[in-house]
Amino acid sequence: GTAFDPAALAVIAGAFILSVHVLIGRRISREESSATISFYYALGSSLLAACALPFEWRPIEGADIGLVALLGLANGVGLILLTEAFRRAQAAVLAPIDYLHLVYAVGFGFLFWNEVPEWPVLGGALIVVAAGLANLRLELIAARAPIPPPVL
């Protein structure tokens, strides 16, 4: 088998921080715009990432500057759209749809870098996506169900 990769901790931390962003963003979205919320999220993320610069900094190579700029633009637009979506709908409804990022990551990995995920990765992704879709279905059914009268 493979050993635990410490990089997994970064993914777990990132997922936690994004969930905090969604919860706080949803709460303050009544007073603030999605662009404002996303700006402060990006600012905080940048300040936190700057702490790693003394240990990880490498200049961006000339050929990569355009890709890094495109990455920043895509991240900014995606964050605004995500914030707006969570402002308008419940997290339980949107979370299963958010799992599409797994499908996109696998597809783009294959398309751009010829990465073929191993079977355990595909199996795990299938389980996560299936569970998310099942949850979405249950949420939609619950939204249509009549509210039962209180029992006295």
Side-chain angles (χ1 to χ4, degrees):
T2 59
F4 175 76
D5 188 343
L9 295 175
V11 174
I12 292 169
F16 174 77
I17 291 168
L18 184 59
S19 68
V20 170
H21 163 77
V22 167
L23 291 174
I24 292 173
R26 186 164 172 82
R27 173 90 172 160
I28 64 174
S29 66
R30 296 178 208 126
E31 296 90 27
E32 301 292 340
S33 71
S34 294
T36 300
I37 294 168
S38 297
F39 171 78
Y40 284 109
Y41 176 80
L43 178 64
S45 298
S46 297
L47 293 174
L48 185 62
C51 294
L53 287 179
F55 310 104
E56 298 291 331
W57 173 257
R58 288 182 303 155
I60 300 171
E61 296 181 22
D64 293 336
I65 289 175
L67 289 174
V68 171
L70 183 61
L71 178 66
L73 180 65
N75 187 42
V77 171
L79 190 56
I80 290 171
L81 293 173
L82 185 68
T83 303
E84 190 62 29
F86 279 99
R87 168 199 306 268
R88 296 172 183 263
Q90 293 182 359
V93 173
L94 295 176
I97 300 167
D98 188 44
Y99 292 130
L100 282 173
H101 76 273
L102 293 171
V103 175
Y104 294 139
V106 169
F108 290 147
F110 180 76
L111 183 65
F112 296 114
W113 295 284
N114 293 322
E115 293 177 343
V116 178
E118 297 177 10
W119 286 109
V121 172
L122 289 174
L126 182 63
I127 291 169
V128 169
V129 170
L133 292 174
N135 184 45
L136 176 62
R137 185 172 188 277
L138 291 174
E139 288 291 329
L140 292 173
I141 289 170
R144 285 183 278 194
I147 300 172
V151 177
L152 299 176

